[in-house]
Amino acid sequence: MLSKNNSNTPVIIIIACSAVIALAVAYLFYYKQTAASKKAPGGQQGAVTVRTMTAEVQTLHDYVNTNGEIKTQSSIEVFPDNGGKIVETYVSLGTAVKRGTVIAEIDPSEPGMQFAHSRVYSPISGTVTAAPLKPGTKVTTSTAITVIGDVANLQVNANIPERFVAALKPGLKANIILEAYPNEVFTASVSRISPVVDSTSRTKEIILTFDANDPRINAGMFAKVTLFTLDYEGFPVIPASCIVTKGGKEFVYTVNADGETVSRREIQTGETVDNITQVKSGLSAGEKIVIEGQRVLSDGSKINDITNGIKKPETTEQAKQEEKDGKK
């Protein structure tokens, strides 16, 4: 048995060597085919499919997002002149009143003592913005029966985090979105700024006044506020995603005059807002840059720009010659 196994050893070795040689040949063939596929006819490197854009000078508007509440610009709580029990109310939530309108009547009588009813009057003209207390409620001279406000002139009260306080100033513009009208943008401006920072919330309150009255806006509504704080202007802007960082330096690929090759350009960037970045040096307005496909480019690479959605076929030397002959 032992001599028989030894007689088969050369055959096994020959088969193993043949398999190794076959694998080596297959790998070499695959490598050559892969390398060839990366070359266009004529020995030129194949073009990289990219998308491009033209750099333009734009102003970036930095902003702060916060929440706010719609309130009347002027409102006042209504207090009775005498304490007692409310025996009648003559208004309800949303009632329009004039100065001097009777709001309620108070019975100041006590056990064993009868007094005439005391009337409560509206101190200003406006609208009842808080539901009046119900008859039978006992009140004192420090109990607010209701609130009267001027609903024709509304404002937004919002709180800004302390880290953004340095950018606050009257006149800053804001976009307001209300939950009732999620697709509508109302504009407002900062009219007042609190002189103090709240020590608990670490925020500062601002008051925004609507640029135009709109009957759809009601006191008490919840508001989403986008307050524009700083403007960065004077430089071309590009998508931050198209910037390539290497060795601590930042680069973009600009399209050369032939429209078919690119150059790697070192740039100095400025401020970034919503992934749009200023370029302070290294790029001029009007230059075309690569915004997709730049990760596989190198200086001098050929490109196939499909920005308009149509991929241009790669032109072979023969096709170029035929095109040239056809023009004669």
Side-chain angles (χ1 to χ4, degrees):
M1 294 295 293
L2 182 62
S3 61
K4 184 177 181 179
N5 289 339
N6 289 340
S7 64
N8 291 332
T9 300
V11 176
I12 295 174
I13 293 174
I14 292 172
I15 293 174
C17 290
S18 299
V20 171
I21 293 172
L23 288 173
V25 170
Y27 175 77
L28 182 61
F29 177 78
Y30 172 77
Y31 176 80
K32 288 183 176 180
Q33 287 293 102
T34 303
S37 66
K38 295 182 180 180
K39 299 289 184 178
Q44 299 296 322
Q45 184 178 0
V48 177
T49 299
V50 301
R51 294 186 188 275
T52 63
M53 67 162 283
T54 301
E56 296 179 354
V57 175
Q58 294 182 12
T59 299
L60 300 183
H61 304 285
D62 208 352
Y63 60 89
V64 178
N65 284 327
T66 187
N67 298 324
E69 183 180 355
I70 309 299
K71 295 185 177 182
T72 58
Q73 288 189 25
S74 59
S75 62
I76 189 169
E77 294 179 316
V78 181
F79 298 94
D81 293 330
N82 298 290
K85 182 174 65 175
I86 298 176
V87 293
E88 192 70 54
T89 54
Y90 299 102
V91 297
S92 59
L93 181 65
T95 300
V97 297
K98 295 182 178 180
R99 178 176 177 146
T101 299
V102 178
I103 299 296
E105 285 191 14
I106 306 295
D107 182 3
S109 300
E110 298 179 1
M113 302 180 65
Q114 295 293 322
F115 296 99
H117 290 179
S118 174
R119 289 186 168 183
V120 181
Y121 300 95
S122 173
I124 62 171
S125 296
T127 302
V128 177
T129 59
L133 299 180
K134 296 180 179 180
T137 304
K138 289 186 177 181
V139 297
T140 66
T141 54
S142 60
T143 304
I145 294 179
T146 188
V147 178
I148 307 296
D150 180 10
V151 297
N153 295 291
L154 300 174
Q155 65 185 31
V156 183
N157 290 41
N159 293 316
I160 303 299
E162 183 178 5
R163 63 182 179 276
F164 300 114
V165 164
L168 296 180
K169 61 181 179 180
L172 291 179
K173 297 296 183 180
N175 287 341
I176 311 296
I177 296 179
L178 308 176
E179 287 195 344
Y181 309 101
N183 298 320
E184 193 82 19
V185 176
F186 303 90
T187 58
S189 303
V190 174
S191 57
R192 283 177 287 165
I193 302 171
S194 171
V196 298
V197 171
D198 185 277
S199 59
T200 302
S201 64
R202 311 311 307 177
T203 60
K204 177 172 281 197
E205 185 180 45
I206 62 170
I207 308 298
L208 301 114
T209 304
F210 285 100
D211 294 339
N213 291 332
D214 194 309
R216 294 175 295 176
I217 304 174
N218 303 139
M221 282 183 166
F222 174 81
K224 294 181 180 179
V225 180
T226 299
L227 177 67
F228 298 103
T229 53
L230 298 171
D231 287 345
Y232 308 117
E233 54 189 357
F235 297 98
V237 299
I238 60 174
S241 59
C242 76
I243 300 172
V244 177
T245 302
K246 188 175 183 180
K249 297 181 179 181
E250 295 177 311
F251 303 89
V252 293
Y253 286 94
T254 60
V255 180
N256 295 328
D258 59 15
E260 297 181 351
T261 59
V262 295
S263 296
R264 192 174 75 168
R265 187 85 61 80
E266 183 179 353
I267 60 172
Q268 298 294 326
T269 58
E271 303 293 339
T272 298
V273 177
D274 287 343
N275 294 318
I276 302 297
T277 300
Q278 286 182 313
V279 180
K280 291 191 170 182
S281 66
L283 184 69
S284 300
E287 291 191 280
K288 186 178 288 188
I289 63 168
V290 177
I291 59 173
E292 290 184 21
Q294 72 278 6
R295 300 296 173 183
V296 296
L297 294 176
S298 58
D299 194 33
S301 292
K302 293 185 66 176
I303 61 168
N304 182 25
D305 188 358
I306 60 168
T307 302
N308 295 327
I310 302 176
K311 185 173 180 178
K312 297 181 294 184
E314 301 219 3
T315 307
T316 64
E317 293 300 322
Q318 179 180 359
K320 287 182 179 180
Q321 185 62 42
E322 291 175 354
E323 181 180 357
K324 183 178 180 180
D325 294 340
K327 291 180 179 179
K328 291 182 178 179

